Each structure stands twice: as C-alpha cells, then as structure tokens.
Amino acid sequence: MHMRLSRRVVNPHLHARHARRRCALAIAQPTAETHAHLVRPGEVTPGIAGAEYAARRAAMASRLPRGSVALFAPAPLAYMSHDVPYPFQQAPDLHYLCGFAEPSCLLACVKRGGGDGGRSSGSGVDAPDDAEWLLFVEPSDPAQALWDGPRAGIDGARRHILPDGEVLKIGAAPTALLRILDAMDASRGDTAIRPGLLFDVDRNPQLTAALRPVLEWCKERQLRVTRAAAHVQPLRLLKSDAEAALMARAADATAEAFLETMAASSAAAARGGATEALLAARFEYETRLRGCGRLAYPCVVASGVRACTLHYMHNNALLSPGDLLLMDAGGSFGGYSADITRTWPLSGTFTPEQRDVYSAVLSVNEACIAAAKGDGGTSIASLHHLSLRLTHEALVQLGVLGPGEAHRVSRYYPHNIGHYLGLDVHDTPLASQSQPLLPGMALTVEPGLYFPPDDPQLPAWCRGIGVRIEDDIVIGSDGAARVLTTRAPKAVAEVEEAVRRGL
C-alpha cells in the first residue's frame, strides 16, 4: 500500500552530510571516504599511500629511455560460462604503479625525447618529471552502475588514483596515443631518438586488438615493440617497508588459519566422512576472518598418496586418520600474497616412517633459511644448489639413495627451493633467480620429498609419503632474512600439538 508523503523540515547540515556520502560512493574500489575500516586517509589501496604510488611512477619513468611510451594493460576479464565471471584480479604491474582496480583501463607513461623539450641527462634517460602519466578509464554510466555498481569514471580516477596525471576515456586511447607518437616523431628533428613503444601485447588480447592502429603505426616505421614488464618488475622485486608490512599481515593471517585448520583436520578425520574440501573451506574462512580479501591461489589439500602430486587441487578425497596431509595455501592481504606449506599427521602423531621423512625435509628447510642473506653472493639459485646437496645427504641417511646417486635427487625433489613473492604468489617472473638477494626481496623456501607409491626403486617403508615445508622470508636492510611465517608450527612436537587440539 502506498503512503502519502507528509511535508517535513529538512535539516540542511544533515542533507549536506548525506550529499557528501553519496559523492564518496562514486568509485568502485574502497577509499578512505567509503571504507575507513580498510583504507586510511592518504592511502590509495590498503596500506599503500598515494605518495608511494607517485614515487613508484617516478622510479618507473626514470628507467625509461627518452622518446618512449610505456603502456600497462589490465588483466583480462575471464568467464566461467556465458555470463558468469571469475572474480577479477588486477594485473600486478598496473596495480603496482597506480592501484586502480577496474578491468577496463590502460595506464600510459610518455617519456618525451630531447628534441621535443625533454631535458636530457646525457645518458639517454630523462629526469622523472619529464614524464607524463595518463590513465584511460571507462566513464561513469548510471545504467551500468545499476547492474555492477559505480565505476570511478574520469573524475573519480583523477581524484583517487592519478591526481598528478591526466585521465581520459578508454575509447580515446588509440587516437590519443597516435597523436602523442606522431608529435614525438615530428619533433625529434635531427636527433637519433625515435619513438619507442613498450607494451606487453600478450597481457590483454582484447585491449591489444583495440590498440591495433598504434601497433600498425610502429610496424610501418619499423619500430620494435618491447616489454614494459621488463622495466617495472625490477622495481616490484624490492619491497618497501609498507609492502613488507602487508606481507607480514598476510603471513600472520595465513599462519593462524593453518593453526585452526590443523585442529579441525584431526576432528574431521576422526569423525569420518569428511573430504579435503572441508579443510580448504575452513582455511579460506579463517583467512577472511583475519582480513584477507581473497586467497592468493587455490588451496592444495593433499592427503595420503595425493601429497606426491605437487599441485593436487581436486581436494575431494576422504580424510583418513592414518594419513599425512600436505596443505599448500595462502591468503592475500591488501593485494600481497602469503604462501605456506605444512605437512601433518591427521591422527595427531607421526608414525616413525613419517617422522623420518618429515625431519629430513625440515632440516633442509631450516638450513636454507639460515643460509638466505643479502651478502652479495647468495641467490635463490645458490640456495637451490644447497638444498639439492642437503637433500641428497638426507636421502643417503634414510637409505633411499646411495652416496653416488646425487643425480637421482630430482626424482624425489623435482621443484626449485623457492620463488619470489609479492603481489603475485610467483612474483616478478622475469626476474632472474641467479641475481644476488638484496634488502627488500621476498621469497619462499620450500624443500620437499615425494615418494610415489608405485616406485619399485624405493624402499617399501617410504612409498606414498609426500612432505613439503614452506616458509616466507624477506631480506632486511641489514641483509638478514626475516621469517614471516613463524606462527605456523613446523617442529615435530609443535605440529603434533597443533593437530591434537582438535581431538
């Protein structure tokens, strides 16, 4: 039934507050105005201030050669079926440089050459303030907002994301970029500098197709298109204090979620009828309860012989009290990933055989963490070589391999000791693992042993046992490794105690 509205006096101050609140909702992602519980004043994304994003862009610009345009594409939208989308996760390079979370956008850095007013340093690189930043976005659309919520639009993106640059409509990107490239080409005069384009053409196929006129312009002039990621990933490799703090929050939430999941696992196995999926769900719940916005990657919950499959993700086998369970999982806090693996007995007590294998892996894990340091010579590659030698020694001691069978170690330890960690779980993939560790680098340390159940070359006692122990570390300013994941138990007695809490 409709009710007739009565006249009432409107408080102008209350109306103004409501108007400000409505205005604050004009951007899709959290801001300090709309989500004060997530984003503090001055921050663009949780934990990262606008000033830090501006400093990142300045550092990026300083790496670019004069006369270049660098383009940073968003991640493409992906769909489970006809119109059911997967949750969107922004491309890490674009996120690192501006923090914009919408899928339809393009970030550009224009570094003009010495012939058109750029102040040359003499080294082919200009000062960062000679660079211009442009962000192309979808304009606000009330009809679209009814279905998907508001976009930032041009005004919102200028206010919250790129106050020091220019914000334009995404549909104008090809024309605007061609105009810029034409002007740079025409103004170079007698200099040898020619416009160059840096763009990862495989990042977003739909955007690459839309920018075909720009790519054709480069092709006609025989200009190479090189990867923009190769310039930004070296910056991403070295974490700031703010980034390290977010990674510590992600690691704490993940470690505490492991503790709760370990306790839940023993009760579920003893009760019977529960599958690995129950533990994956419990883990995700516990990480979100502690502030993580999402999982860093799909959970590996591998019980029994399934632990011998490195990336087992079916998570549908029944939990059995006599099995070991290997869980590889991580939460993402403020966009930064944690990556922890723990292996534990669902009964709450290791069998002697399980304990022997577990202790061998733990000794390698602890030795490699102790060896990780920013001393100018240690690298992920050198840590891996150390882990191979130590794993061979452990396998000899276990009676699995002979002293002269080091070449067979990779049969039972087939992966690397670790990888870089950050906005991606396998972060900065273009960065060499042979470069020395430096302050600010974050990485995992994750040795393992996997004994297939049907390998006739193995002693019968160890067949079907799979163990991996993984920790996250950051190299500090003094070169020492700081372990972020100490809250997740890994000593034998601590693991057993954590699991027995559920019984």
Side-chain angles (χ1 to χ4, degrees), residues 181 197 213-223 225:
L181 289 167
L197 184 68
V214 177
L215 298 174
E216 289 293 331
W217 187 95
C218 294
K219 184 177 180 180
E220 290 169 3
R221 288 157 181 79
Q222 298 182 331
L223 298 176
V225 178

Side-chain angles (χ1 to χ4, degrees), residues 295-327:
L295 293 177
Y297 53 95
C299 294
V300 173
V301 187
S303 62
V305 298
R306 287 158 291 278
C308 297
T309 301
L310 300 185
H311 286 169
Y312 170 85
M313 293 182 185
H314 299 299
N315 299 346
N316 56 12
L318 288 170
L319 301 174
S320 175
D323 285 342
L324 284 179
L325 185 130
L326 184 156
M327 187 168 185

Side-chain angles (χ1 to χ4, degrees), residues 38 46 50 62 84 95 133 137 143 156 165 179 182 193 195 254 260 270 272 290-291 320 364 366 435-436 477 482:
L38 297 178
S62 70
V84 181
H95 177 104
W133 288 89
V137 303
R179 187 181 304 119
D182 276 333
I193 298 174
T254 298
E260 297 302 321
R290 290 161 175 79
S320 175
V364 178
E366 292 175 335
Q435 63 182 304
S477 59
R482 173 190 171 199

Side-chain angles (χ1 to χ4, degrees), residues 69-72 106-110 132-136 162 177 180:
V69 176
L71 305 179
F72 302 93
L106 175 67
L107 181 66
C109 181
V110 179
E132 302 170 35
W133 288 89
L134 300 90
L135 180 62
F136 298 92
L162 197 70
L177 292 171
I180 290 169

Side-chain angles (χ1 to χ4, degrees), residues 395-440:
L395 289 172
V396 171
Q397 190 170 11
L398 288 171
V400 173
L401 293 182
E405 294 184 299
H407 61 282
R408 292 184 56 206
V409 169
S410 61
R411 173 75 178 90
Y412 307 116
Y413 170 39
H415 57 76
N416 208 338
I417 186 60
H419 52 80
Y420 298 118
L421 189 66
L423 287 170
D424 266 345
V425 65
H426 289 173
D427 204 43
T428 56
L430 299 181
S432 170
Q433 294 196 342
S434 297
Q435 63 182 304
L437 297 178
L438 296 172

Side-chain angles (χ1 to χ4, degrees), residues 91-309:
D93 288 346
L94 188 147
H95 177 104
Y96 178 82
L97 291 169
C98 71
F100 193 50
E102 294 183 23
S104 183
C105 66
L106 175 67
L107 181 66
C109 181
V110 179
K111 188 71 171 290
R112 301 188 185 277
D116 58 340
R119 295 190 304 277
S120 172
S121 65
S123 63
V125 174
D126 290 339
D129 58 1
D130 285 325
E132 302 170 35
W133 288 89
L134 300 90
L135 180 62
F136 298 92
V137 303
E138 286 283 2
S140 299
D141 180 354
Q144 168 272 334
L146 178 65
W147 293 91
D148 302 319
R151 299 186 182 117
I154 292 175
D155 291 340
R158 182 181 295 120
R159 176 180 175 185
H160 293 285
I161 306 298
L162 197 70
D164 56 350
E166 187 173 1
V167 181
L168 303 168
K169 295 179 181 179
I170 185 66
T175 301
L177 292 171
L178 284 173
R179 187 181 304 119
I180 290 169
L181 289 167
D182 276 333
M184 292 171 69
D185 194 33
S187 63
R188 65 189 178 94
D190 295 330
T191 68
I193 298 174
R194 302 183 67 198
L197 184 68
L198 297 89
F199 178 46
D200 296 281
V201 296
D202 56 348
R203 172 74 262 187
N204 187 315
Q206 184 176 358
L207 180 63
T208 298
L211 294 177
R212 184 173 299 163
V214 177
L215 298 174
E216 289 293 331
W217 187 95
C218 294
K219 184 177 180 180
E220 290 169 3
R221 288 157 181 79
Q222 298 182 331
L223 298 176
R224 284 195 318 128
V225 178
T226 57
R227 301 199 66 167
H231 293 265
V232 69
Q233 289 194 19
L235 300 175
R236 286 176 48 202
L237 192 59
L238 303 179
K239 307 300 185 287
S240 68
D241 290 344
E243 290 178 291
L246 288 171
M247 295 187 70
R249 292 287 300 274
D252 284 345
T254 298
E256 290 169 10
F258 261 91
L259 276 167
E260 297 302 321
T261 305
M262 292 167 84
S265 70
S266 57
R271 193 168 56 242
T275 69
E276 297 153 337
L278 173 69
L279 303 184
R282 180 61 180 263
F283 175 84
E284 181 171 2
Y285 165 76
E286 296 291 348
T287 56
R288 288 182 178 271
L289 192 65
R290 290 161 175 79
C292 289
R294 58 176 174 84
L295 293 177
Y297 53 95
C299 294
V300 173
V301 187
S303 62
V305 298
R306 287 158 291 278
C308 297
T309 301

Side-chain angles (χ1 to χ4, degrees), residues 8-22:
R8 60 189 177 90
V9 177
V10 176
N11 182 330
H13 300 291
L14 182 64
H15 180 77
R17 280 204 305 272
H18 286 178
R20 287 195 297 271
R21 189 176 301 149
R22 285 196 299 272

